[in-house]
Each structure stands twice: as C-alpha cells, then as structure tokens.
Amino acid sequence: MGRWICYLCSRAADSLMLLLVLALSCKPSTAAIASPSAPHVKPSYSFGRTFLGLDKCNACIGTSICKKFFKEEIRFDTWLSSHLKLPPSYLLSYSGNYTDDAKSWRMVDITRLTSKYQHDRADRRICTSLLKTKNCSLEHALRRTQRFQKWLRAKRLTPDLVQGLSSPMLRCPSQRLLDRIVRRYAEVPDAGSIYMDHLTDRDKLRLLYTLSVNSHPIFLQIFPDVEGWPFPRYLGSCGRLVVSASTRPLRDFFGAAPEVAADLALQLLAVLRSMGTNDLNYFFYFTHVDAGTFGVFSNGHLFIRDASTLGIIDKEEVGSQLIDGQQEYKDIFSCLTVDCQSAFVSCNSIGEKHSLVMVCQELLPKLLKGKFLQPVQEKIDSFLQHCANGLADDQGVSGAVAKLAELLKPLRSCDSRFAYRYPDCKYSDKY
C-alpha cells in the first residue's frame, strides 16, 4: 500500500514538472510583453470650412467634389508629399492632383472664381447693402432679395431672371441658352429637363450666385470637352473652389520654339473660328483676353482656360433676346464682383472680327514675335498688324487671318511633342 502511494506521488510530481516545463516554454518573449507601439498616424490635411468657402454656402458654387477633398483624393501637393500642408488661402489658383483609385494621379487646376479679397469685399457689400450690418448670414440676406424670390417662384429660367447680371455670358441671353444651363447644371442630379422642378431652393441660390460672380464653371458644364468644345473638363466644386483638368497658361509658351509657336497660333485661330461657327449656331466672343485666357494640355492641345470673359449670342434667337435698354436693371447680384456703375457692352456692337482683333493685339504678337527668318517674319508681322488695327470690316480682318494661317501651316512640325495630332499628322494632308 505504501509503495502504491509513493508511486502515485511520483507520478503527480512528474505531472507537475511537465506542466512547469510547458509553462516555461510558452512564456512570451520580452518583445511581446512590451507595450505595443502607437499606431502610425497618417498625415492629413486640416481642411477648414473657411479655406474651402463652405462656411459661405449656400452663397457658394457647389459641394459635388467635397468628398474628394476630405478623403485626400485631391491634393494640393504637386509631388504628393506626406506633409499635406494647405497653401495660402489668398491665392487665386492652385496646382493639384486628383485620383479615383489612390494609385494613379492626374494633375488638376483648383481655382477661385475671384480672389479671396474680392469674395470678402462682396460678402461685406451683401451685408451692408441688404441688412445694414457688417456681418450677417449671406444666405439669409440673399434669400430676401426680390430677384431670388422671383427665382423661387419660377418654373423655368427666363431672360428676365438673369437681367442685369454682369457676366458676359448673360448680356445677350436667349431662352435656348438658359434652358441649356438648367438642363446641364452639373451640381445637381441630372434631370434632363428645361424646368427647374429638380432644383431645390439651395440649388437655385447656388446657380444664381455662380452666374453672378463668374460664369466660367457654367461654360465648362454646358459645353463639355467630350462633345468637342474647347474647354477643360469640369470635375466639380466645393464651397468656392472649382476643380477642372489642368492646363499650362499660354504665357508659358511665349518663349517656345518656332514650330511650337506656329502650332499654337494655328490652334488659337482654329478655336476662334469654331467659336464663331458651330453646329449649335452660337456665336462666342471675348470681352477681354490675356496670357491666361488660353491654356495648353500636356499633349500640346490648346483650350480656353478661362471662360469668365466669354459672351454668347444665339444666332437662332437674335430677335427674342433682351434689347440693350432692358439690361439697365441692376441689384446686389449685378455688382458682386464689378462696379455697379459698369456699362454693358451692347449686343449689337459685337461682330465676327471682335475676338480676332483682340487676339491679334494681345496674344499672337507675343507668341510669334522674332521667331522666324525673313521674309517670313516680315509677312507674319504685316498680317498681324492688319488684323490688330481692326480698321477693316469683318471680311477684311478674316482675310488677313486666313493668309496668316496659310503662312504658318508649313512652319509647324510633326513629332511626338504634339501628341494631340501625332502620329496622325504623318498620314494626313490636313497637317
């Protein structure tokens, strides 16, 4: 019996020893015992509502692309750096990057419709003019205006609702153009209707505000690049920032090689020709051009970079457009970005040579000056001078421009620098 008890004690001791060994062998390592390191915090933009202009909505452009900003799928860093610092808010435009899959990025332009200073001044004007105070709710103030109350009651956007707005786009409005604006307004779900039933009160205020401040994003929406119009692609808006496909301003090419300058000059003339004659029978004209009005994509294709000074005359509805005397009506929406005393350009004073003369005066001489050997350069300068003087009638100016184009055609080259037409130019007489 004693030996049996000793045997059981021995087995119990062996079991305890085995458990001890197993426990020791399962002891966590020192590295595992140490407290886990803090998780890596992804650097992030500190977006303020003020920077984007969201604090001013619904006196803003829209919110269709805000998610992209907050998900960091739109970045201001050209090099996609990890610091993600926001640029100064006083700039008018920014270079950015845009992605749909967080892997491939493409460059975009991020712009304000006016400078922040002009926006702030306009905001103060709204408050002091309408509510007699320095600070106020912009939306509340604008909603009380007679014009917006008419917008709220309207089923359709008609010429009287945009009467007196400073945008060149609306100085000679036609019903056909206004229907196109409503039907293609991209900041709301597409209803494909000319009636404003699908626009909420908020949507109507945003559309009215955009048309009052700067019609550039509206041009991009209603005349999209995918249909062949010479505008960069509209990607969306957030607050008072607009995002579109990136282009380099024409000023960057004033020192370009002769063959590049010749190519861009020909594209510029072709754009003006298409804006005067197109399938929709709209006549587009500029009230002002400068070195930033046109831009060039990375493939060498020239587009209208800034449409804020672009006006439209509807050739199909000339008789139904407002006469100039009716445009004297002005209110707070008429002077958000310009002096309320500014005179309108008469619709009847716009001719086919209007934009050609400005381009011959302001842009083509800077692009083509001193680029070619004599006597070619002398002929180019002569045609430009004839066009810039603007003394001839429409046909005379158009004739000088046509001769200039014929002179420039053989001066451009066909190579990979002009990706928008290469290698097609190798096999076509068109080039």
Side-chain angles (χ1 to χ4, degrees), residues 311-326:
I312 304 180
I313 296 176
D314 189 341
K315 293 181 180 180
E316 292 188 4
E317 296 188 21
V318 173
S320 64
Q321 293 174 353
L322 287 174
I323 61 175
D324 295 327
Q326 289 180 281

Side-chain angles (χ1 to χ4, degrees), residues 12 34 51 122 241 265 312 381:
F51 181 86
L241 292 179
I312 304 180
D381 294 341

Side-chain angles (χ1 to χ4, degrees), residues 114-371:
T114 68
S115 69
K116 191 174 186 302
Y117 167 76
Q118 289 175 304
H119 269 311
D120 292 342
R121 187 176 64 172
D123 293 344
R124 288 193 297 271
R125 183 182 295 152
I126 292 171
C127 292
T128 55
S129 298
L130 300 179
L131 298 181
K132 311 303 180 185
T133 180
K134 291 183 178 180
N135 298 297
C136 69
S137 165
L138 299 178
E139 180 172 357
H140 177 66
L142 294 176
R143 277 177 172 272
R144 295 176 57 180
T145 61
Q146 182 180 0
R147 186 191 294 266
F148 187 65
Q149 289 301 312
K150 289 177 66 177
W151 273 62
L152 289 179
R153 295 190 297 269
K155 293 291 185 181
R156 191 175 183 182
L157 185 59
T158 51
D160 62 297
L161 295 178
V162 298
Q163 181 181 343
L165 297 185
S166 63
S167 169
M169 180 188 202
L170 300 171
R171 289 180 185 174
C172 314
S174 71
Q175 189 59 59
R176 187 168 69 114
L177 174 64
L178 298 178
D179 288 344
R180 188 177 182 89
I181 291 174
V182 172
R183 193 171 63 247
R184 296 190 168 209
Y185 182 43
E187 287 298 311
V188 299
D190 182 16
S193 172
I194 63 173
Y195 297 102
M196 295 197 291
D197 297 336
H198 63 293
L199 300 184
T200 65
D201 295 357
R202 176 199 65 191
D203 298 329
K204 289 182 178 180
L205 181 56
R206 291 178 181 179
L207 177 57
L208 174 56
Y209 180 84
T210 306
L211 291 172
S212 302
V213 174
N214 188 326
S215 58
H216 171 73
I218 304 299
F219 268 106
L220 272 55
Q221 294 169 41
I222 69 175
F223 298 110
D225 65 312
V226 293
E227 294 180 4
W229 297 98
F231 300 105
R233 180 165 301 180
Y234 177 80
L235 298 173
S237 299
C238 184
R240 290 180 170 179
L241 292 179
V242 178
V243 184
S244 59
S246 177
T247 60
R248 288 177 60 191
L250 188 62
R251 70 171 65 90
D252 290 357
F253 297 86
F254 285 164
E259 61 273 18
V260 174
D263 182 81
L264 292 176
L266 283 167
Q267 287 193 72
L268 183 52
L269 294 177
V271 165
L272 293 183
R273 186 164 56 250
S274 70
M275 303 307 274
T277 305
N278 52 75
D279 293 341
L280 292 185
N281 227 6
Y282 286 119
F283 174 68
F284 297 78
Y285 65 93
F286 285 99
T287 58
H288 171 78
V289 295
D290 57 38
T293 301
F294 296 89
V296 183
F297 285 126
S298 58
N299 65 356
H301 206 173
L302 182 137
F303 276 61
I304 296 174
R305 189 171 191 258
D306 179 5
S308 62
T309 62
L310 202 57
I312 304 180
I313 296 176
D314 189 341
K315 293 181 180 180
E316 292 188 4
E317 296 188 21
V318 173
S320 64
Q321 293 174 353
L322 287 174
I323 61 175
D324 295 327
Q326 289 180 281
Q327 295 192 349
E328 293 304 316
Y329 171 82
K330 294 179 181 178
D331 63 358
I332 189 64
F333 290 100
S334 306
C335 51
L336 288 182
T337 56
V338 298
D339 183 356
C340 286
Q341 304 305 315
S342 299
F344 287 107
V345 176
S346 170
C347 300
N348 298 326
S349 67
I350 307 299
E352 291 186 10
K353 70 177 183 179
H354 188 86
S355 297
L356 285 172
V357 171
M358 283 193 290
V359 167
C360 288
Q361 290 174 342
E362 300 296 330
L363 300 181
L364 289 179
K366 298 174 183 177
L367 187 62
L368 300 174
K369 183 179 180 179
K371 291 289 173 67

Side-chain angles (χ1 to χ4, degrees), residues 374-398:
Q374 299 297 358
V376 174
Q377 185 68 54
E378 184 178 355
K379 292 180 179 178
I380 290 175
D381 294 341
S382 175
F383 290 137
L384 284 178
Q385 188 62 44
H386 185 79
C387 170
N389 285 338
L391 299 178
D393 56 15
D394 288 352
Q395 286 70 32
V397 171
S398 298

